[in-house]
Amino acid sequence: MATGRSTQNNPNAAASNRRSRGRGIPDATVARLPLYLRALTALSERSVPTVSSEELAAAAGVNSAKLRKDFSYLGSYGTRGVGYDVEYLVYQISRELGLTQDWPVVIVGIGNLGHALANYGGFASRGFRVAALLDADAALSGQLVAGLPVRHTDEMEEIVRSERVSIGVITTPPGAAQQVCDRLVAAGVTSILNFAPTVLNVPDGVDVRKVDLSIELQILAFHEQRKAGDDLDDADQEVPATPSAAVVSEGTELEEAAG
Amino acid sequence: MATGRSTQNNPNAAASNRRSRGRGIPDATVARLPLYLRALTALSERSVPTVSSEELAAAAGVNSAKLRKDFSYLGSYGTRGVGYDVEYLVYQISRELGLTQDWPVVIVGIGNLGHALANYGGFASRGFRVAALLDADAALSGQLVAGLPVRHTDEMEEIVRSERVSIGVITTPPGAAQQVCDRLVAAGVTSILNFAPTVLNVPDGVDVRKVDLSIELQILAFHEQRKAGDDLDDADQEVPATPSAAVVSEGTELEEAAG
DNA sequence: CCATCTTTGTGCACGCGTTCACAAAGACAT
DNA sequence: ATGTCTTTGTGAACGCGTGCACAAAGATGG
Ligand SMILES: NC(=O)c1ccc[n+]([C@@H]2O[C@H](COP(=O)([O-])OP(=O)(O)OC[C@H]3O[C@@H](n4cnc5c(N)ncnc54)[C@H](O)[C@@H]3O)[C@@H](O)[C@H]2O)c1
Ligand SMILES: NC(=O)c1ccc[n+]([C@@H]2O[C@H](COP(=O)([O-])OP(=O)(O)OC[C@H]3O[C@@H](n4cnc5c(N)ncnc54)[C@H](O)[C@@H]3O)[C@@H](O)[C@H]2O)c1
């Protein structure tokens, strides 16, 4: 059964292959490294030479024991009684995350969101470089966005290959996301950041992470509702038992091109 | 360790009150409910009356046992031998997530990203309504964005109170995020969606979720690098002259030849 | 060199989340 | 009613992540 394409399982995880688990750094740790790196970079810019796990943990918003354990996976780069060398840690984490090299990225779907991402400075700051902006709308072709010309998706395969792009960002409407994803993967992309509210199916070996604004808001709404309910300290949480309720119209913009 | 302000601890979690009163739905389940809801809505629009856990799980990209267990927390709404009633589930999940009511939202910082979010249709679709767009730049005041006038942050407190806004979205530069957050919270906002790469400190009872593009990319880069490393080396691993000792711990070396 | 003080690195226990596997429940046919 | 077939709901095992608590390591001072 589950032999062809793997659907994204984990919370937001990539194709966490069980096999290549050499000195495997736990996923949870990997997800926090960028957080540490950001805090360390700020310290570095203030020329702070060393930092204790307690201080750094506070800056990153995590538990200090967790931070120390995280760092222990990278090897032991601290000095007892002193703390961690800021510059050295910045280097080690950058290296571990692969930020010491250049990562060409393509953004597909230059609408509202694609525009914003293209203009986002935080991209280039770390090793990420926007190799191309792609859109299926021919009317956009050639138009400059953040100094880069929008190119037609016809050129996708050529660009991915020639620029050695391994990371693709999808900001198309949901109905086009799977198709765009398939083309990116076929062209050689092996990591995808998906902003469309779509479950992407990809072959093994391809990592997908998704950013879903709508889900985040709904989770907040849940907690918000719970807080409100706790305040009132209700007693009636009974189910109305009205199956046919109209409920939220939702208006999903699905164009669902079927499988 | 004072009990003053709580820094965001969990992966991306809100103030997860441990006292799971009444029916405590696990955080992991809550995070998946929107996923199910989306798949169910699509089915609903195609007038599909019932769906099995297997089908729905496939559509949502999760394990079917997990889905069944998730639903079991909501109560048992399935029929054995048949599956789940789509309309009924849509209603139950919407209700559980609090989407049957209206959630006014303010967006603070109407730059590139704020613009995109304001124009995002997916907002209004589910119970979320943009109550106001706020920016500190007076030059933007009055300007129409997505049909709404941008208003100055001076009006924040008044708007939050009069519109009963409980959810705030922060899309300001990182340097302003904490300050904006403080003002939102003081005005009465108890849930914050933060797009700025900043660790926000909030009082207990306030939920913060963050969306961090940069972190997502760095996580992808990590896996990308690992993939590249795995491809390159057949025999020896990549570890380049790490001075510290070998971190031998477990013995389960599952190295697949499979090359 | 010894004493003291700071901070790391980690063993350990605990709780959450995931997944398997299966009995029970119900639909449906005869 | 009875049997068969499908699918749910969940008990139980397991693995991962977290955080406490502490011994070891090293700095610093006398
Ligand atoms: N705007 C937001 O704030 C926001 C927030 C969360 C999620 N999203 C999601 O992000 C995606 C983009 O949102 P948006 O507001 O930018 O939409 P948009 O309509 O403004 O832009 C979509 C762009 O994709 C292009 N496109 C369509 N089909 C394509 C294809 N097959 N190949 C390449 N390009 C194609 C369109 O020409 C358009 O330029 C949507 O899936 C949306 O649900 C957007
Ligand atoms: N653009 C992206 O794609 C992107 C991606 C990831 C993260 N981010 C983050 O999102 C945030 C916004 O990004 P952007 O590209 O839209 O930036 P931007 O500079 O285009 O917009 C920022 C807006 O915030 C306003 N602002 C500044 N200080 C304010 C204050 N104190 N109160 C209210 N408004 C204030 C500014 O006037 C401006 O309009 C940044 O923190 C950025 O790091 C952006």
Side-chain angles (χ1 to χ4, degrees), chain A residues 113 115-123, chain B residues 108-115 134-137 140 153 156 170-177 179-180 183 195-198 211-214:
Chain A
L113 192 53
H115 248 86
L117 295 183
N119 277 304
Y120 182 42
F123 249 124
Chain B
V108 188
I110 312 302
N112 288 309
L113 192 54
H115 248 87
L134 296 169
D135 201 292
D137 185 354
L140 289 176
T153 41
M156 181 192 294
I170 298 179
T171 51
T172 66
Q179 179 194 351
V180 165
R183 283 186 65 185
F195 284 85
T198 311
V211 174
D212 198 318
L213 169 62
S214 187

